[in-house]
Amino acid sequence: MGKYAREPENTAKSCKARGSNLHVHFKNTHQSAQAIRGMSLKKAKRMLEDVLEHKQAIPYTTFNGGVGRTAQAKASMAKTKVTQGRWPKKSCVFLLDLLRNAESNAEHKGLDVDILEISHIQVNRARQQRRRTYRAHGRINPYMSSPCHIELVLSEKERQVPRPEEETGGALVKLSKRRAVRPAHKAGGSVVAAQ
């Protein structure tokens, strides 16, 4: 088991998954991972499946030289005005497989799959693999691949708990120590000191 770039804050409510030396382009996978960062597990899986069906595009914010413009990218990133996007099939398939692996890890750990969100996802370049291509006049040029490492952490969302109110129905009144010691002098006005 390798070391992750970032450990989860609460390991009891988190699960991890990673893939090393995956034979898929680093740049496309990086953009796909950026698109699903911070999403819930269900929403991220739905988005990647939509990309495979060409219903949504992955917006390209970096590594976007020569990438065509599409209305789907513009719709998904309306706040940042990104117009360039693609549908990287192989990257989405690898990310979906990794999300399914993390989901099964969460089920094995006893976590609630419905409230999981992607708290950390990272794509790093792996060592390039070398091939050769033959050029004119008997020359040979390198023909390199760009594999990548992917790691992700799923964590349970913390639920907002409503603040408890006093039994009388009113809000708690905070008093200073000095004021709390002094008795209430107003007739009929009882003040309860919060501790």
Side-chain angles (χ1 to χ4, degrees), residues 3 33 103 171 194:
K3 188 176 177 184
E103 184 180 8

Side-chain angles (χ1 to χ4, degrees), residues 43 84 124:
K43 189 177 176 183
Q84 293 171 292
N124 292 336

Side-chain angles (χ1 to χ4, degrees), residues 115-129:
I115 59 170
L116 286 176
E117 68 179 11
I118 301 170
S119 59
H120 168 70
I121 186 164
Q122 180 173 312
V123 180
N124 292 336
R125 289 180 197 267
R127 183 172 174 168
Q128 286 191 312
Q129 296 170 338

Side-chain angles (χ1 to χ4, degrees), residues 15-186:
C15 62
K16 302 186 274 190
R18 71 181 298 160
S20 297
N21 294 308
L22 302 176
H23 201 78
V24 59
H25 288 297
F26 162 73
K27 291 182 179 181
N28 291 338
T29 311
H30 177 268
Q31 291 302 305
S32 304
Q34 294 300 313
I36 63 170
R37 170 175 279 151
M39 285 186 181
S40 67
L41 176 64
K42 191 183 292 184
K43 189 177 176 183
K45 284 170 68 175
R46 191 179 330 114
M47 182 185 180
L48 292 173
E49 286 163 359
D50 283 351
V51 170
L52 292 175
E53 296 170 8
H54 283 243
K55 291 180 182 175
Q56 271 187 306
I58 297 291
Y60 276 55
T61 54
T62 53
F63 310 124
N64 57 0
V67 175
R69 295 183 295 187
T70 174
Q72 287 181 1
K74 192 173 179 182
S76 65
M77 296 289 283
K79 295 173 198 163
T80 57
K81 297 184 176 148
V82 173
T83 58
Q84 293 171 292
R86 279 185 177 163
W87 300 267
K89 181 181 176 185
K90 195 171 178 183
S91 297
C92 291
V93 168
F94 272 81
L95 284 171
L96 266 171
D97 289 343
L98 213 58
L99 285 173
R100 286 191 195 106
N101 181 261
E103 184 180 8
S104 66
N105 291 346
E107 287 172 356
H108 180 72
K109 214 171 177 181
L111 301 177
D112 187 4
V113 178
D114 295 331
I115 59 170
L116 286 176
E117 68 179 11
I118 301 170
S119 59
H120 168 70
I121 186 164
Q122 180 173 312
V123 180
N124 292 336
R125 289 180 197 267
R127 183 172 174 168
Q128 286 191 312
Q129 296 170 338
R130 179 177 291 276
R131 286 184 291 170
R132 54 168 59 173
T133 185
Y134 300 94
R135 308 306 295 265
H137 309 297
R139 292 177 300 128
I140 293 174
N141 278 3
Y143 206 68
M144 312 291 277
S145 67
S146 301
C148 63
H149 309 303
I150 309 171
E151 64 181 46
L152 63 92
V153 176
L154 299 179
S155 301
E156 283 187 353
K157 277 189 275 190
E158 293 185 12
R159 296 179 181 161
Q160 293 291 332
V161 179
R163 187 173 185 172
E165 295 200 8
E166 201 175 1
E167 290 144 16
T168 58
L172 291 173
V173 178
K174 289 194 175 184
L175 299 175
S176 65
K177 290 180 184 178
R178 186 175 178 188
R179 183 75 186 236
V181 173
R182 229 177 357 162
H185 290 294
K186 293 182 179 177

